[in-house]
Amino acid sequence: MLRLWSVLCLSLLLLACSKPLPEQTNQLTDIYQRGQIRVGILHGPTSYYIGVDGPTGFEYELAKGLADRLGVELQLFPSFDLEDLQRKLKNGQVDFIAGGLTLTPERTAKFRAAPAYRWIDELLVFRQGNSWPQQLAELDEPVIVSAFSSHAETLRRLAAEEPAIRFQESADLDADELLQKVVDGSIRYTLTDSNQLAVNRRLFPQLNIGLTVSENLPVGWLLPKNQDDSLFSVLIEYFGHVYQNGDLVTLEDRYFGHVELFDYVDTIRFIRAIEDTLPAFRHWFIEYAGDLDWRLLAALSYQESHWNPKARSPTGVRGMMMLTMPTARQMGVQSRLDAEESIAGGSRYLQLLLNRIPERIPMPDRLWFALASYNIGWGHLEDARRLTQRDGADPDKWLEVKQRLPLLRQKSVYQHTRFGFARGDEAALYVENIRRYYDTLVGVDERQQLEQRQEQQRQRLVEQSEQVAEAPPLSQ
């Protein structure tokens, strides 16, 4: 974060030395006059996509925060094509473009870079089980990357210094599709960003890191390259604000915090369980989910019991949702070993906990608090929130509270709390595990739905072809 402050201070100094601009060239005035800020945004899981509750994504929320701060409407121009976004920026169709864009020398030569807000590594990846690449120049096949990407620019610079480096640019495949091609064996190697790999590994754990090609590359938004400082100065103030108040760190944790730790064996086991074990219980998760996403309920159940109706812990909790005897009675569950009853009772209990969370706490933090209290109890969660408030941090933010949960193990701390000792570190990991399982399950479920639609479409085409073949010939 010191790098961010350095960039901000330098930018402010440059602005102080710049000359005032004619009013007609003021980009910020145009934004206020139209009541909209127009953002070209890259469509993808690390940037912007349509989720269960509508538009979401790290870059989307950053852009929405800027629009709200300016008091204008956010108008999005989504694209899967970075070249298309650059074209929109050049012709003035958008005010800036966003999408986890690495601030490469080539890009900053053509566009103006807003303050960097993240730093990533560029990684060479290959499929688990294949040969282990040691150097780019020694690869047996070319590295395939998206055209107009930062990865293509990196390889172009490296190949100029080391001609033995071979790579190809694909105009048809984006970075996520290339990762899928690595998994299915269509290509051997590609480059990807570290955060992009972390997200994709939830669905494709076979992706393996060969080597780090570039480290600590800045990520930021791109503006038109002109002398208008009006929007640029607003962005300096905006990123300084979200850094100071913790919103930037909270946002990073929401989208990337739970995927930073990767367990290959556990991810493989979970994906197999989705295919082999979940189908027997899926309809009950859907039936009893209520206002919850059934996939979240299923992820909670997997964390608790690995979808084993007969599961039992040393502490006496049992069943699919690992309910205690008092909780089971409270939720009207007669047999904790009955899978349907357990799922129904666990869902009611989670929704009860969710309703206990103060309404001022927004989602998804509200949900993470409910999950934590499912694990260690409402009282211990409240103790952790009090510790957070005592430290001057925000007790309504999951990021802050989860950092204090491990303190509930320390005698010097828990002896002064209302509910005493608790395995708070396990509760924090518990919630992060469920978040990972949920993300994986959503991805697998959406992929299965897509495959089903494609198969149904194929069947319709086959039936239509058969009907045409069986139709009697037209009379002459």
Side-chain angles (χ1 to χ4, degrees):
M1 286 303 180
L2 289 175
R3 290 173 296 185
L4 177 59
W5 276 114
S6 299
V7 172
L8 295 178
C9 292
L10 178 59
S11 301
L12 287 170
L13 180 62
L14 291 173
L15 283 175
C17 298
S18 61
K19 296 180 180 179
L21 295 167
E23 186 175 348
Q24 65 268 24
T25 64
N26 194 310
Q27 188 179 12
L28 187 59
T29 300
D30 292 340
I31 291 171
Y32 279 124
Q33 286 178 347
R34 79 173 86 100
Q36 294 177 329
I37 188 164
R38 305 169 304 184
V39 181
I41 194 165
L42 200 60
H43 206 295
T46 59
S47 178
Y48 161 80
Y49 58 96
I50 305 299
V52 175
D53 300 317
T56 188
F58 181 83
E59 298 287 337
Y60 167 78
E61 292 210 33
L62 265 184
K64 184 68 168 61
L66 173 64
D68 291 344
R69 190 161 178 81
L70 292 176
V72 297
E73 178 187 345
L74 175 64
Q75 185 178 12
L76 293 179
F77 292 79
S79 178
F80 293 94
D81 187 345
L82 183 56
E83 185 187 20
D84 176 57
L85 290 182
Q86 293 181 0
R87 190 162 47 243
K88 285 182 170 63
L89 184 59
K90 285 181 178 179
N91 64 26
Q93 190 175 349
V94 297
D95 297 303
F96 65 87
I97 59 176
L101 306 176
T102 307
L103 302 179
T104 63
E106 291 86 346
R107 288 174 180 172
T108 54
K110 294 186 294 184
F111 305 103
R112 189 177 196 178
Y117 52 87
R118 297 197 78 214
W119 278 261
I120 55 92
D121 298 334
E122 287 183 327
L123 308 170
L124 178 78
V125 296
F126 65 104
R127 181 185 168 90
Q128 180 86 16
N130 288 345
S131 59
W132 186 278
Q134 300 297 319
Q135 296 182 23
L136 287 175
E138 297 175 356
L139 298 181
D140 53 355
E141 292 187 18
V143 182
I144 312 299
V145 294
S146 295
F148 307 104
S149 66
S150 59
H151 309 131
E153 294 175 6
T154 294
L155 290 174
R156 204 174 294 121
R157 289 194 301 271
L158 294 174
E161 300 173 1
E162 177 54 74
I165 296 175
R166 296 182 296 155
F167 70 97
Q168 295 176 6
E169 298 182 45
S170 171
D172 301 321
L173 300 173
D174 64 24
D176 294 304
E177 291 170 324
L178 287 171
L179 289 173
Q180 295 178 38
K181 292 291 184 182
V182 171
V183 172
D184 66 29
S186 301
I187 64 175
R188 290 290 296 275
Y189 311 109
T190 189
L191 286 194
T192 191
D193 294 342
S194 49
N195 63 331
Q196 197 161 31
L197 177 62
V199 170
N200 276 275
R201 267 181 157 178
R202 296 172 302 178
L203 293 177
F204 306 112
Q206 304 92 337
L207 292 169
N208 207 351
I209 301 172
L211 54 96
T212 300
V213 177
S214 305
E215 291 183 299
N216 277 333
L217 300 179
V219 173
W221 294 343
L222 294 176
L223 288 75
K225 201 171 186 67
N226 54 39
Q227 297 301 310
D228 184 352
D229 290 326
S230 57
L231 180 58
F232 182 64
S233 61
V234 166
L235 293 182
I236 292 174
E237 187 274 336
Y238 172 62
F239 282 109
H241 172 73
V242 295
Y243 166 68
Q244 278 189 311
N245 68 6
D247 285 350
L248 183 59
V249 178
T250 300
L251 198 59
E252 287 181 335
D253 179 74
R254 181 179 303 170
Y255 285 97
F256 306 115
H258 63 296
V259 296
E260 290 177 351
L261 295 177
F262 174 68
D263 187 325
Y264 172 77
V265 174
D266 184 64
T267 307
I268 287 287
R269 186 185 297 123
F270 180 57
I271 291 175
R272 287 175 181 165
I274 293 174
E275 298 171 352
D276 300 336
T277 310
L278 179 60
F281 309 107
R282 185 178 187 272
H283 60 291
W284 284 329
F285 287 121
I286 294 174
E287 181 178 351
Y288 296 110
D291 294 331
L292 300 169
D293 185 336
W294 73 267
R295 296 167 296 192
L296 176 79
L297 191 62
L300 167 60
S301 177
Y302 185 83
Q303 170 65 25
E304 288 286 356
S305 68
H306 283 206
W307 296 327
N308 176 9
K310 310 300 181 184
R312 179 174 185 171
S313 81
T315 58
V317 294
R318 304 192 69 178
M320 286 281 286
M321 305 299 288
M322 297 296 271
L323 301 173
T324 64
M325 185 66 77
T327 300
R329 284 197 298 264
Q330 184 185 5
M331 296 298 109
V333 175
Q334 295 182 356
S335 172
R336 291 182 292 167
L337 301 185
D338 182 288
E340 182 179 5
E341 279 198 68
S342 182
I343 292 171
S347 178
R348 286 194 293 270
Y349 183 51
L350 179 60
Q351 293 184 73
L352 174 68
L353 294 171
L354 192 58
N355 292 335
R356 270 186 168 183
I357 308 299
E359 292 185 1
R360 67 177 180 273
I361 301 177
M363 296 290 271
D365 289 45
R366 186 183 180 87
L367 182 57
W368 309 150
F369 284 137
L371 291 173
S373 58
Y374 192 106
N375 178 252
I376 61 170
W378 171 254
H380 292 303
L381 176 67
E382 282 293 271
D383 280 344
R385 294 182 67 228
R386 292 187 192 97
L387 292 174
T388 304
Q389 189 171 34
R390 180 201 67 182
D391 291 345
D394 190 343
D396 291 347
K397 286 187 176 180
W398 168 247
L399 174 64
E400 300 289 356
V401 175
K402 77 174 181 179
Q403 294 173 12
R404 275 81 180 177
L405 277 168
L407 297 177
L408 297 179
R409 269 187 179 273
Q410 300 177 15
K411 184 177 181 180
S412 60
V413 175
Y414 72 69
Q415 65 181 347
H416 300 295
T417 62
R418 186 172 300 178
F419 291 90
F421 171 85
R423 295 180 176 87
D425 53 337
E426 294 180 8
L429 181 60
Y430 173 92
V431 174
E432 304 303 86
N433 284 344
I434 293 172
R435 292 173 64 184
R436 281 192 291 272
Y437 292 144
Y438 172 68
D439 287 351
T440 300
L441 184 51
V442 168
V444 172
D445 182 54
E446 291 178 348
R447 189 172 61 191
Q448 289 175 344
Q449 291 182 39
L450 176 61
E451 291 172 352
Q452 289 173 0
R453 290 194 297 268
Q454 291 173 337
E455 177 60 22
Q456 291 170 357
Q457 184 178 16
R458 191 189 69 80
Q459 289 289 350
R460 285 195 296 268
L461 292 174
V462 170
E463 291 171 1
Q464 291 172 2
S465 299
E466 291 174 348
Q467 291 172 0
V468 171
E470 294 172 359
L474 296 174
S475 58
Q476 300 295 324

